[in-house]
Amino acid sequence: MTRKEFMLELAARLHRLPQEDLRAALQYYEEYFEEAGSQNEQEVIRELRSPAHVASKILSDYAVKEAKKARASTKSGWRAFWFTILAICAAPVAVPLIIAAVVTIVALGFAGFAVVFALIIAAGAIFIKGIGTLFFGSATALLLFGSALILVGFALLIFYGISALIAGIGKHIKNKSNK
């Protein structure tokens, strides 16, 4: 038997394999023959025994690989089934908790912005009072102007803190929804 006859019979016996696996197997044995050299073809053929022996080995390896894939997909199918059952059972508890969390976050956001608004209104009122007292005593007016600026500073701190918190929650939700 020649190398060409060996490879033709091997290809015929492996015709049931998917094309990609068939090409890979034939390429492997072509390279095996090439590495041995043309003078050692008969020795390689004797070492491999026969195309039927090589084909049965390849087909059995392929069957084992496919069985492992099928078992893995069955396991992931069962896992998905159990997660679905768990989600259905957890929904009566989880949905109200999620709604409560969202309502709490929104309420805290509104409360924070209400505090910012109140601080700015108070700062404006103190500033106007400072303008009114500017004519009667400069020390009192400076104290009121400083107090107004401090209130504006606190308002800005609270505003940027709440904005950063809302942006962080939004990014977290976006990242979770992309996964």
Side-chain angles (χ1 to χ4, degrees):
M1 175 178 278
T2 66
R3 169 184 174 178
K4 186 175 183 179
E5 291 170 342
F6 186 93
M7 293 304 294
L8 285 173
E9 186 178 337
L10 181 61
R13 289 183 178 274
L14 296 176
H15 74 278
R16 294 178 293 205
L17 284 178
Q19 286 298 317
E20 185 178 311
D21 292 329
L22 175 64
R23 271 194 301 267
L26 293 177
Q27 182 180 356
Y28 173 81
Y29 285 100
E30 282 290 344
E31 289 173 1
Y32 193 75
F33 273 108
E34 287 175 14
E35 285 179 11
S38 58
Q39 66 275 12
N40 295 326
E41 276 183 19
Q42 291 304 313
E43 187 177 315
V44 170
I45 291 171
R46 266 193 308 278
E47 180 184 323
L48 295 175
R49 293 194 193 163
S50 69
H53 176 74
V54 172
S56 67
K57 202 166 146 187
I58 292 171
L59 290 173
S60 68
D61 289 345
Y62 180 76
V64 167
K65 182 175 84 171
E66 288 300 309
K68 284 181 182 178
K69 277 185 190 176
R71 188 172 52 219
S73 68
T74 303
K75 281 183 181 178
S76 65
W78 278 107
R79 187 173 296 136
F81 172 75
W82 286 116
F83 276 125
T84 304
I85 296 295
L86 179 64
I88 290 169
C89 292
V93 174
V95 171
L97 287 176
I98 291 170
I99 291 171
V102 170
V103 168
T104 303
I105 290 169
V106 170
L108 288 174
F110 280 131
F113 285 120
V115 168
V116 168
F117 184 71
L119 286 173
I120 290 176
I121 296 294
I126 291 173
F127 188 80
I128 291 171
K129 179 71 173 173
I131 290 174
T133 59
L134 186 62
F135 301 110
F136 300 112
S138 62
T140 305
L142 288 176
L143 182 66
L144 291 173
F145 289 148
S147 298
L149 289 175
I150 288 173
L151 289 177
V152 169
F154 280 136
L156 288 174
L157 268 171
I158 293 170
F159 176 76
Y160 287 122
I162 291 171
S163 298
L165 182 66
I166 290 171
I169 290 170
K171 282 182 184 178
H172 182 71
I173 290 171
K174 184 179 179 184
N175 288 341
K176 289 291 183 179
S177 66
N178 287 340
K179 291 182 181 180

